[in-house]
Amino acid sequence: MHTVRAIPAPFPSSLPSGMPRMDVLPLGVTRSFAKGDRVYSDGDRITHCYKVTSGAVRVCKLLSDGRRQIIGFYLPGEFFGIEMGSEHGFDAEAVTNTSVVVYKRRASDVLAAGGELADQIMGAMMATLERAQSHMLLLGRKSALGKIAEFLLDMADRTGDREPIELPMCRTDIADYLGLTIETVSRSLTQLERMGVISVPKGRRNITLLDRAALRGLDG
């Protein structure tokens, strides 16, 4: 179940000639998704683009052998659902109770119209491309400790370097994102804690980065 709330946006007294700018039009609604709810599914037609306002979203693919591969997490302030073609190639799911702005335009339409939202989406596309490239390198080259270290540093950067880092995702999600088993994720976090570079309160998802230089050394 999810709830819907309209986003108030004033209509201008007159619109510019030609194609209207998307930043002067009411753009979408806020939808609330419970943990595990799907925002959209693999194969759905692309008719909207999305922005997380609270919680988190995972974008993933169920592989032919039954395994799940998570290709990205999206946090508050980040856009998702921006794909080439006419259909989504992945599932998007709420990691926890999550609110999302649903813009009633495809990203390509917003970009064509221009305006502030188009600038934001262009920035989001560049950030997504950069993270995708880093993710490919991470999956192919790094040790388990290196993967965990890079993941924690990335989460710290994207959450504004607040301490402790509040991870919305569970260790199974982290494993499916990093191409590890949940046992390896747990062992790696325990090892990093014994090394004195992180602190992980028992039974919680809050992690404090005690020695970022050491983490960056593992990341490299």
Side-chain angles (χ1 to χ4, degrees), residues 1-24:
M1 292 290 292
H2 58 264
T3 59
V4 180
R5 177 172 61 83
I7 300 173
F11 284 94
S13 57
S14 62
L15 293 175
S17 60
M19 183 174 289
R21 289 173 63 89
M22 301 306 293
D23 56 349
V24 298

Side-chain angles (χ1 to χ4, degrees), residues 131-142 147 150:
R131 284 199 297 269
Q133 292 171 335
S134 296
H135 191 212
M136 285 189 291
L137 290 174
L138 178 152
L139 290 176
R141 298 185 182 178
K142 295 184 182 294
K147 290 179 179 182
E150 180 171 326

Side-chain angles (χ1 to χ4, degrees), residues 19-22 105-115 117-119 121-122:
M19 183 174 289
R21 289 173 63 89
M22 301 306 293
R105 299 290 191 279
R106 295 181 302 173
S108 57
D109 295 335
V110 176
L111 291 171
L117 181 59
D119 292 341
I121 287 180
M122 179 60 72

Side-chain angles (χ1 to χ4, degrees), residues 174-189:
I174 296 172
D176 287 349
Y177 177 67
L178 298 178
L180 302 171
T181 65
I182 186 172
E183 293 81 11
T184 299
V185 170
S186 295
R187 283 196 303 269
S188 298
L189 289 171

Side-chain angles (χ1 to χ4, degrees), residues 139-178:
L139 290 176
R141 298 185 182 178
K142 295 184 182 294
S143 65
L145 279 183
K147 290 179 179 182
I148 296 292
E150 180 171 326
F151 176 76
L152 293 176
L153 289 167
D154 179 55
M155 288 293 107
D157 181 61
R158 291 165 64 190
T159 55
D161 286 324
R162 292 188 297 271
E163 295 282 3
I165 305 167
E166 296 184 11
L167 297 179
M169 66 288 294
C170 64
R171 294 185 181 186
T172 300
D173 284 344
I174 296 172
D176 287 349
Y177 177 67
L178 298 178

Side-chain angles (χ1 to χ4, degrees), residues 10 21 49-50 77 80 102 113 141 175:
R21 289 173 63 89
C49 56
Y50 309 83
F80 66 100
V102 181
R141 298 185 182 178

